[in-house]
Amino acid sequence: MTNVSPKKNRIATIAFVALFGVLAVLGLVFSCLQEETVRPMVKDFADWVAKVVNAFAKGTVDGGNQAWFRAVIRNLFGHFFLFMFLGVFADLSAARLLPFKKLPWLFSALVGFGACAVLAFLFEGLQMIPALDRPASWSHVGIDVGGAALGVLLALLIATFVKVLKSEPEDDGKKKKQRL
């Protein structure tokens, strides 16, 4: 990924940073909610997804596998996908804000992934506060970090794709002669 100065594409830079910030704050807020508040929200969302799934494949989610389905939905949406998008926006933000000239894609990926890993530990660590009455799970940190890794890889693919689209096509490998 090429390093873009903060002056260029200022709107995109602000958007990436803002989206990262909004998602991080949402994750922080949900990490600080008490179990009695979170459980009904997860149940309602998982039940809605189950209805959608059952509309396409009747009987897929029923009473026998509903608890398992809720856990999968919670881990996919509350952990993996959240951190996948955090990884995308963290990497794209870092690529635009960091001044590295050599291997900027590597440094933006490391900074983006590192920021997401810190958030994963912070969010899960907050749940250890006794007043929240929520169990912390280190497997959730693993799911978060896996989502962040995929997000960073997606950001690198997006940036590479954009770079290829912006590059000038070569004339069958022959250099064009300059006219004087």
Side-chain angles (χ1 to χ4, degrees):
M1 182 181 297
T2 58
N3 192 7
V4 179
S5 72
K7 291 180 183 178
K8 294 180 184 175
N9 299 320
R10 188 178 306 261
I11 293 173
T13 302
I14 291 169
F16 294 147
V17 172
L19 287 168
F20 176 78
V22 166
L23 289 175
V25 168
L26 282 174
L28 180 66
V29 168
F30 275 92
S31 292
C32 292
L33 292 176
Q34 291 185 329
E35 180 71 17
E36 62 192 33
T37 305
V38 174
R39 188 169 300 279
M41 291 174 13
V42 169
K43 179 189 175 297
D44 291 345
F45 181 71
D47 289 347
W48 177 80
V49 173
K51 285 179 186 176
V52 171
V53 168
N54 283 332
F56 291 101
K58 194 169 186 150
T60 302
V61 181
D62 58 14
N65 63 1
Q66 203 152 16
W68 173 85
F69 186 78
R70 284 183 186 145
V72 168
I73 293 300
R74 183 188 71 236
N75 287 328
L76 274 178
F77 287 95
H79 292 278
F80 190 83
F81 288 149
L82 170 66
F83 275 85
M84 182 184 73
F85 285 110
L86 279 169
V88 167
F89 296 127
D91 182 70
L92 293 174
S93 297
R96 292 175 175 274
L97 296 173
L98 296 175
F100 296 108
K101 300 293 182 208
K102 291 185 179 181
L103 300 175
W105 61 271
L106 176 63
F107 289 109
S108 68
L110 290 174
V111 168
F113 181 77
C116 290
V118 167
L119 286 176
F121 281 99
L122 173 69
F123 291 173
E124 210 59 34
L126 286 171
Q127 294 178 19
M128 292 182 186
I129 297 172
L132 295 179
D133 192 31
R134 290 182 69 179
S137 171
W138 295 114
S139 65
H140 289 167
V141 174
I143 295 168
D144 296 344
V145 168
L150 179 61
V152 167
L153 289 174
L154 285 173
L156 292 172
L157 285 173
I158 291 167
T160 302
F161 184 70
V162 168
K163 185 177 178 181
V164 167
L165 286 178
K166 286 184 176 181
S167 67
E168 294 181 23
E170 291 186 21
D171 200 30
D172 292 334
K174 299 175 186 176
K175 292 185 180 180
K176 293 181 181 180
K177 293 182 181 180
Q178 293 180 352
R179 294 183 183 177
L180 297 175

